[in-house]
DNA sequence: CAAAATTCCTGACTGC
DNA sequence: TGCAGTCAGGAATTTT
């Protein structure tokens, strides 16, 4: 399941591959993947003839800004893939639901077996001139994320982006104290911080040396700092490795290549394997229906 | 057959 | 008592 590092890898690839391209035609073969539109035709109409100006990211969402000021928003859900191919002749994988053809040649394909992902074109709020920063939830008015959030009203509820929106430890501490949630639940809460899912929340907590069930308002100043550092460093490191492609998962970059970070996982999917730090077996627990992996010795 | 995990939704529960 | 916030549980989904 693509999380922030995988989506960021895709963003970087897309920035190189599709910026400046003009959409010649769009075909939608599974309506479930195109949501929030009255019809697939409506969606196509907003896309065809448009030029892609830039590619951004907010949490797990990809944002392709068009020359019309609209934004093509893409969320990969659990099994979504975005593939760039040179020729329409290349065989289409099963579950290819949307194809965007470029006038310059080549096409972008959206493949998603489980159809938990979605795509839609968003229009910025009619005007809503600046100064509405005050209406944004606390902790969000920083970084480029603020501009993107304004550009896509549907995503205004997303929490800060740990890579785009830097903040001080003090500020992070304040945000943590505002909630009284278990650390893992909070890290996965997209309205608190966006982009972290099941895999990276476990890796971040191991790196921080904190248990998943510690309460967010009970951390010492040192622990707050460790958590913040672990969050930024783990995600940054994973991006450098172009994300994680798990044995059973289908994450691939724009060119169909696998990521490289899975080899660096400390706890995720390593039940009973020896902890890389202390050699004690990694434990598996269940949190909110999700498998949670941690080291009882290293995480306190 | 169960497990995997995303977002959204609902209902139960908790602390103030 | 009420309110806001947390979180468990279920749905939609397909492949292993």
């Amino acid at each position: 399941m693509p999380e922030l590092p995988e989506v960021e890898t895709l963003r970087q690839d897309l920035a190189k591959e599709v910026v400046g391209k003009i959409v010649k035609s769009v075909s939608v073969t599974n309506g479930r993947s195109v949501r929030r539109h009255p019809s697939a035709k409506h969606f196509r109409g907003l896309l065809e003839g448009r030029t892609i100006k830039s590619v951004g990211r907010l949490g797990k969402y990809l944002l392709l800004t068009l020359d019309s000021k609209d934004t093509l928003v893409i969320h990969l859900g659990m099994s979504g893939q975005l593939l760039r191919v040179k020729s329409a002749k290349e065989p289409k994988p099963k579950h290819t639901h949307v194809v965007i053809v470029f006038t310059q040649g080549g096409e972008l394909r959206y493949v998603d077996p489980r159809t938990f992902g979605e795509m839609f074109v968003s229009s910025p709020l009619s005007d809503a001139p600046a100064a509405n920063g005050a209406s944004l939830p606390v902790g969000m008015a920083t970084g480029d994320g603020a501009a993107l959030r304004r550009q896509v009203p549907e995503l205004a509820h997303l929490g800060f982006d740990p890579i785009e929106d830097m903040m001080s430890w003090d500020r992070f501490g304040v945000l943590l104290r505002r909630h009284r949630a278990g650390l893992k639940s909070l890290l996965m809460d997209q309205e608190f911080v966006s982009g972290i899912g099941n895999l990276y929340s476990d890796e971040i907590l191991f790196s921080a040396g904190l248990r998943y069930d510690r309460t967010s308002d009970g951390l010492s100043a040192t622990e707050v700092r460790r958590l913040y550092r672990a969050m930024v460093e783990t995600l940054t490191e994973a991006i450098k490795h172009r994300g994680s492609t798990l044995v059973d998962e289908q994450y691939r970059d724009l060119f169909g290549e696998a990521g490289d970070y899975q080899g660096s996982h400390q706890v995720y999917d390593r039940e009973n394997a020896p902890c890389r730090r202390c050699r004690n077996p990694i434990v598996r627990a269940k949190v909110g229906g999700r498998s949670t992996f941690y080291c009882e010795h290293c995480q306190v």
Side-chain angles (χ1 to χ4, degrees), chain A residues 27 45 66 80 99 118 135 149 180 196 206 235 259 280 293-294:
Chain A
S27 78
L66 310 174
V99 176
E118 66 165 333
S135 68
R149 246 175 229 103
R180 183 200 333 257
I196 300 171
F206 175 83
L235 296 173
N280 279 94
F293 303 88
Y294 69 106

Side-chain angles (χ1 to χ4, degrees), chain A residues 176-234:
Chain A
L176 284 175
R177 257 171 265 125
R178 245 181 214 162
H179 297 259
R180 183 200 333 257
L183 287 184
K184 168 139 173 148
S185 301
L186 194 55
L187 285 178
M188 292 208 298
D189 181 350
Q190 304 301 302
E191 297 190 29
F192 175 71
V193 54
S194 55
I196 300 171
N198 200 41
L199 191 165
Y200 290 103
S201 60
D202 281 3
E203 292 299 318
I204 289 167
L205 288 170
F206 175 83
S207 168
L210 297 167
R211 280 179 59 108
Y212 65 93
D213 53 359
R214 284 288 296 281
T215 314
S216 61
D217 65 352
L219 301 189
S220 68
T222 312
E223 290 173 328
V224 167
R225 217 167 68 181
R226 271 189 356 231
L227 181 57
Y228 187 78
R229 277 194 57 142
M231 178 174 72
V232 175
E233 285 182 4
T234 300

Side-chain angles (χ1 to χ4, degrees), chain A residues 231-246:
Chain A
M231 178 174 72
V232 175
E233 285 182 4
T234 300
L235 296 173
T236 302
E237 207 47 36
I239 291 169
K240 279 188 196 154
H241 287 263
R242 300 184 62 78
S244 303
T245 298
L246 306 176

Side-chain angles (χ1 to χ4, degrees), chain A residues 1-294:
Chain A
M1 14 56 233
E3 298 179 32
L4 190 152
E6 291 76 31
V7 179
E8 174 60 20
T9 300
L10 237 18
R11 187 199 67 72
Q12 291 170 7
D13 290 348
L14 283 167
K16 284 186 210 140
E17 291 294 317
V18 307
V19 168
K21 295 251 161 50
I22 298 167
V23 177
K24 181 181 183 186
S25 63
V26 176
S27 78
V28 177
T29 45
N30 182 335
R32 225 182 102 77
S33 295
V34 174
R35 306 185 190 173
R36 315 187 197 215
H37 286 277
S39 66
K41 284 105 261 144
H42 182 255
F43 170 76
R44 291 172 46 198
L46 293 170
L47 242 30
E48 291 175 349
R50 301 272 65 93
T51 299
I52 296 171
K53 304 297 281 185
S54 62
V55 186
R57 179 189 57 73
L58 218 41
K60 305 175 189 172
Y61 291 83
L62 279 169
L63 309 175
L64 281 66
T65 304
L66 310 174
D67 58 351
S68 59
K69 300 300 177 200
D70 284 348
T71 305
L72 170 59
V73 181
I74 304 172
H75 190 287
L76 302 171
M78 291 184 55
S79 58
Q81 283 182 11
L82 224 37
L83 299 168
R84 195 238 129 86
V85 300
K86 292 262 165 50
S87 161
K89 295 196 170 76
E90 290 187 36
K92 281 190 182 56
K94 212 177 166 182
H95 306 295
T96 298
H97 302 146
V98 178
V99 176
I100 296 175
V101 180
F102 299 112
T103 49
Q104 290 94 334
E107 56 187 47
L108 190 59
R109 295 171 175 175
Y110 179 69
V111 182
D112 186 8
R114 293 178 220 182
T115 61
F116 278 19
E118 66 165 333
M119 265 170 120
F120 63 93
V121 175
S122 167
S123 300
L125 252 13
S126 45
D127 53 319
N132 66 347
S135 68
L136 288 172
V138 187
M140 293 189 176
T142 56
D144 293 355
L148 289 174
R149 246 175 229 103
R150 220 168 295 127
Q151 186 181 318
V152 184
E154 290 89 339
L155 303 184
H157 67 284
L158 290 179
F160 73 95
D161 185 290
I163 298 299
E164 296 290 321
D165 304 321
M166 293 292 171
M167 71 173 73
S168 66
W169 295 321
D170 274 356
R171 180 91 179 264
F172 185 56
V174 169
L175 292 181
L176 284 175
R177 257 171 265 125
R178 245 181 214 162
H179 297 259
R180 183 200 333 257
L183 287 184
K184 168 139 173 148
S185 301
L186 194 55
L187 285 178
M188 292 208 298
D189 181 350
Q190 304 301 302
E191 297 190 29
F192 175 71
V193 54
S194 55
I196 300 171
N198 200 41
L199 191 165
Y200 290 103
S201 60
D202 281 3
E203 292 299 318
I204 289 167
L205 288 170
F206 175 83
S207 168
L210 297 167
R211 280 179 59 108
Y212 65 93
D213 53 359
R214 284 288 296 281
T215 314
S216 61
D217 65 352
L219 301 189
S220 68
T222 312
E223 290 173 328
V224 167
R225 217 167 68 181
R226 271 189 356 231
L227 181 57
Y228 187 78
R229 277 194 57 142
M231 178 174 72
V232 175
E233 285 182 4
T234 300
L235 296 173
T236 302
E237 207 47 36
I239 291 169
K240 279 188 196 154
H241 287 263
R242 300 184 62 78
S244 303
T245 298
L246 306 176
V247 261
D248 55 326
E249 290 298 332
Q250 300 297 56
Y251 167 70
R252 299 273 147 170
D253 67 18
L254 236 212
F255 313 103
E257 301 291 319
D260 192 26
Y261 192 65
Q262 59 280 5
S264 304
H265 292 175
Q266 303 293 304
V267 289
Y268 186 77
D269 206 18
R270 296 192 68 239
E271 183 181 16
N272 293 328
C275 170
R276 304 207 143 111
R277 194 182 282 161
C278 76
R279 299 278 117 196
N280 279 94
I282 298 301
V283 176
R284 179 194 197 120
K286 213 72 161 166
V287 175
R290 268 127 193 121
S291 292
T292 298
F293 303 88
Y294 69 106

